[in-house]
Amino acid sequence: MDVNIMSQIEPKIENSWKELLHDEFQDAYFKLLKTFLIDEKLKYRIYPPGSQIFAAFDKTPIEKVKVVLIGQDPYHGKGQAHGLCFSVPHGIRPPPSLVNIFKELNADINIPIPNHGNLEKWAEQGVLLLNATLTVRAGQAGSHQNKGWELFTNSAIKKIAEKKKGLVFILWGRFAQAKEELININEHYVLKAAHPSPFSANNGFFGCRHFSQTNTILTQQGKEPVDWCL
């Protein structure tokens, strides 16, 4: 991570999000978070690279957001995390949860399972691929939880839900489903299922049909459906 990115008064982030989240960058918790990250960088390898920490926001400006998919942590393996939840860069083998996402996608709308795990195409169409925690120490899952990121991303979820109407929130697993309290369910659509992890996918993720349901909801609102094909 580039230390300078997190040491700025306001980190580099897409302008519409920068404006919406301006107060968060000034808050005491975020200043403590920056101090923590700078110290971590001096001691450990941190994922994703600094320029990709806010990739979910950079790839999906506010005016484009129509779907919000919430993850928990960045991948902690070398080369995996690039700022979009569940996604990995081209050339990196898709992790098990992402493999199961592709299996459900294939079963739901008959899209061929791709030979890569890069979900940038979804993000560019308005699917906000947001992890609750935006950084992680290499090889140590959950190592940056409860350091301030959750306050930041909770605020992002709440503010985008207040600013827009008719969003589709996809909440897989208990962690993501706890974010429902940030959303006015009378103004948005919430789809819930088990997490796609191999440990839970058979408990309700497989067969959830969230991809087709999302597109049905978007179409009914006169919005362009997501082309889920990668």
Side-chain angles (χ1 to χ4, degrees), residues 1 6 11 25 29-30 33-34 36-37 46-48 53-54 57 72-74 131-136 144-156 179:
M1 181 177 66
M6 293 308 300
F25 295 128
Y29 83 82
F30 199 85
L33 172 61
K34 288 190 289 184
F36 165 76
L37 290 171
I46 305 303
Y47 298 137
I53 290 174
F54 296 105
F57 302 100
Q72 187 165 1
D73 275 276
N131 276 317
T133 302
L134 300 188
T135 57
V136 69
H144 287 185
Q145 291 179 6
N146 303 314
K147 302 297 183 182
W149 276 131
E150 294 91 343
L151 295 173
F152 178 78
T153 54
N154 279 354
S155 181
K179 305 297 182 181

Side-chain angles (χ1 to χ4, degrees), residues 1-12 30 33-46 48-51 53-54:
M1 181 177 66
D2 181 355
V3 172
N4 289 330
I5 286 178
M6 293 308 300
S7 62
Q8 296 171 25
I9 297 295
E10 293 187 9
K12 184 179 179 182
F30 199 85
L33 172 61
K34 288 190 289 184
T35 299
F36 165 76
L37 290 171
I38 291 168
D39 184 61
E40 281 281 284
K41 174 60 180 175
L42 295 175
K43 300 175 183 176
Y44 308 102
R45 182 175 296 277
I46 305 303
S51 62
I53 290 174
F54 296 105

Side-chain angles (χ1 to χ4, degrees), residues 12 19 31 56 62 65 89 131 159 184 187 207 214:
K12 184 179 179 182
E19 181 177 345
K31 294 175 183 178
I62 289 172
V65 177
N131 276 317
K159 288 182 177 182
N184 184 339
E187 296 183 348
T214 294

Side-chain angles (χ1 to χ4, degrees), residues 120-192:
E120 287 182 348
K121 182 180 175 182
W122 295 359
E124 290 165 355
Q125 294 179 77
V127 183
L128 181 64
L129 298 170
L130 184 64
N131 276 317
T133 302
L134 300 188
T135 57
V136 69
R137 189 185 298 171
Q140 297 187 40
S143 50
H144 287 185
Q145 291 179 6
N146 303 314
K147 302 297 183 182
W149 276 131
E150 294 91 343
L151 295 173
F152 178 78
T153 54
N154 279 354
S155 181
I157 294 166
K158 186 175 181 180
K159 288 182 177 182
I160 193 68
E162 291 172 348
K163 188 174 181 66
K164 305 199 75 167
K165 300 290 188 291
L167 298 177
V168 182
F169 287 86
I170 300 176
L171 309 180
W172 292 333
R174 285 176 292 180
F175 179 87
Q177 288 165 21
K179 305 297 182 181
E180 186 175 7
E181 67 180 21
L182 304 170
I183 304 160
N184 184 339
I185 61 174
N186 295 316
E187 296 183 348
H188 301 284
Y189 303 85
V190 177
L191 303 179
K192 296 186 285 188

Side-chain angles (χ1 to χ4, degrees), residues 102-123:
F102 290 153
K103 288 179 180 178
E104 174 59 23
L105 181 62
N106 174 257
D108 184 8
I109 50 179
N110 200 34
I111 284 180
I113 294 176
N115 59 5
H116 66 88
N118 191 318
L119 306 183
E120 287 182 348
K121 182 180 175 182
W122 295 359

